[in-house]
Amino acid sequence: MEIEVSVNRTNVFTPINPCYKVDVSYTLTKTPSTICVLFQIFLGSCSAVTVCGNLLVITSIIYFKQLHTPTNSLILSLAVCDLLVGLLVFPLTMEFSISSCLYYGDLFCKVRGSFEVSLCTSSILNLCCISVDRYYAVCQPLTYRTKMNHNTVSLMILLSWFISVLIAISFIIVGVNREKCAEKCFNDTVIVDTMALVFSFYLPVIVMLCIYLKIFLVAQRQARSIQNTTKSGATINKMERKATKTLVIVMGVFLLCWLPFFLCTTVLSFSRVYMPLPLTELLNWLALSNSMLNPFIYAFFYSWFRSAFRMIISGKIIQGDYTNCKLF
């Protein structure tokens, strides 16, 4: 049975959606199809994997005392952010992708947009904080414990969340201004858009690229020092391959997920280039998938996290007290 929903809008230009059909009278005809069902199952599965993966990370860090370190506090903040992306942003964006906001009105779009901007920005800034922590751990190991203590890490976490919320609020304010003053506040909205893009993505990316490049160079220098001491070529090759692999995975996955979306956003913000809605939605989902992949990149990399996951999944922590268990 078909469900018709009237939309009281004019000048609506919406491409055909696999789940909804828009006719000339702007009436949405709900026609569940195989493509629509598969689309919802796939995105729902991505949301479930995102929630479960980050929930494992959160439970591991909170439960096992051995994981109560400044570095893992940053990973915990990242996991909480990505968990909220899976719980809130994924379902809201899935509904937006299906309906394109045609029958929800502006409120749904604003709520969804504010959650997406704040949580995704927080995720990126937390990744940036983790790169700073890794820099001090690798490049300044002697002063690492004094500089990257719990107080410093807590301040970094609070700052990253504060900036993300501030950017989300600015987006809401700009949206209201656009509706009220149209072209008169064009310069103001351009300035806000520019600052939001810079602080949400481009500046953190530049920081991370510089930091990971520095880490890679230092790791190579340390490996050469070991080679000169031990006269062993196998050691240098093994260490260089491991450092290269780690940095390529960390930055490669991050840029693969986020760079296309923000390049698209930049083009749309500062030009009148037409971009098909399905393409922008695809890039949006690619960016959100980073929250699903983060647990695998930043947690599954380490053997102690894998041990913690096995104990949690097997239900071992329910059977007894393993908070002081040695994971490595």
Side-chain angles (χ1 to χ4, degrees):
M1 183 178 69
E2 295 187 349
I3 303 174
E4 293 190 354
V5 184
S6 297
V7 181
N8 295 322
R9 291 193 179 188
T10 58
N11 300 325
V12 179
F13 296 95
T14 307
I16 298 300
N17 190 286
C19 301
Y20 290 88
K21 181 173 61 179
V22 184
D23 59 24
V24 293
S25 61
Y26 307 113
T27 300
L28 291 176
T29 305
K30 190 171 184 180
T31 55
S33 62
T34 303
I35 297 177
C36 178
V37 172
L38 292 176
F39 180 73
Q40 290 177 313
I41 291 175
F42 174 73
L43 295 181
S45 300
C46 291
S47 177
V49 171
T50 303
V51 171
C52 292
N54 287 286
L55 195 58
L56 279 174
V57 176
I58 294 170
T59 305
S60 300
I61 295 175
I62 293 177
Y63 182 82
F64 296 101
K65 291 183 178 180
Q66 190 177 5
L67 300 181
H68 292 180
T69 64
T71 301
N72 288 335
S73 295
L74 292 170
I75 296 178
L76 176 63
S77 176
L78 174 65
V80 170
C81 178
D82 290 335
L83 175 69
L84 293 176
V85 170
L87 281 175
L88 299 174
V89 179
F90 265 77
L92 291 174
T93 305
M94 183 168 61
E95 188 63 30
F96 172 80
S97 296
I98 294 173
S99 67
S100 299
C101 276
L102 285 177
Y103 66 91
Y104 280 113
D106 294 333
L107 180 61
F108 171 81
C109 296
K110 290 176 181 177
V111 170
R112 171 239 175 202
S114 61
F115 276 125
E116 183 176 25
V117 170
S118 61
L119 292 176
C120 291
T121 300
S122 179
S123 180
I124 294 173
L125 293 179
N126 275 291
L127 290 173
C128 188
C129 291
I130 291 174
S131 69
V132 173
D133 175 81
R134 292 299 84 207
Y135 168 79
Y136 282 105
V138 176
C139 302
Q140 300 184 23
L142 298 179
T143 59
Y144 170 71
R145 293 187 180 277
T146 57
K147 290 185 177 180
M148 297 302 297
N149 51 46
H150 284 286
N151 291 332
T152 303
V153 167
S154 298
L155 182 61
M156 293 169 67
I157 293 172
L158 289 174
L159 189 61
S160 64
W161 282 92
F162 174 76
I163 293 175
S164 62
V165 171
L166 191 64
I167 291 175
I169 293 174
S170 69
F171 264 87
I172 295 174
I173 295 174
V174 168
V176 173
N177 288 339
R178 280 196 180 114
E179 294 173 1
K180 290 182 178 179
C181 60
E183 296 181 358
K184 289 190 295 182
C185 55
F186 175 76
N187 292 332
D188 293 338
T189 56
V190 168
I191 292 173
V192 173
D193 285 347
T194 303
M195 293 183 64
L197 288 169
V198 168
F199 287 103
S200 292
F201 180 74
Y202 290 110
L203 183 60
V205 164
I206 293 173
V207 170
M208 282 190 282
L209 284 173
C210 293
I211 287 175
Y212 283 128
L213 178 61
K214 176 67 174 178
I215 291 174
F216 177 69
L217 295 176
V218 170
Q220 279 192 321
R221 188 164 60 249
Q222 291 174 347
R224 291 194 186 95
S225 177
I226 293 174
Q227 182 187 30
N228 294 332
T229 303
T230 62
K231 305 300 181 181
S232 173
T235 303
I236 174 70
N237 291 333
K238 184 177 180 181
M239 292 185 68
E240 284 186 347
R241 283 198 302 269
K242 185 175 181 180
T244 303
K245 181 180 178 181
T246 302
L247 296 181
V248 166
I249 291 176
V250 168
M251 284 307 301
V253 172
F254 174 79
L255 291 176
L256 178 65
C257 292
W258 282 106
L259 187 59
F261 172 75
F262 273 99
L263 287 177
C264 174
T265 303
T266 303
V267 171
L268 292 176
S269 298
F270 303 107
S271 70
R272 295 183 178 181
V273 176
Y274 171 76
M275 202 159 293
L277 181 60
L279 176 60
T280 58
E281 289 184 3
L282 177 63
L283 296 180
N284 190 22
W285 279 110
L286 180 63
L288 292 178
S289 68
N290 190 238
S291 294
M292 179 178 64
L293 298 174
N294 280 337
F296 297 93
I297 299 172
Y298 289 91
F300 285 44
F301 240 131
Y302 304 102
S303 59
W304 52 88
F305 272 113
R306 291 195 295 271
S307 299
F309 294 160
R310 283 194 293 268
M311 295 180 68
I312 295 171
I313 294 173
S314 64
K316 208 171 183 180
I317 62 174
I318 302 176
Q319 302 169 6
D321 185 8
Y322 291 89
T323 55
N324 295 310
C325 175
K326 295 294 181 182
L327 299 173
F328 56 91

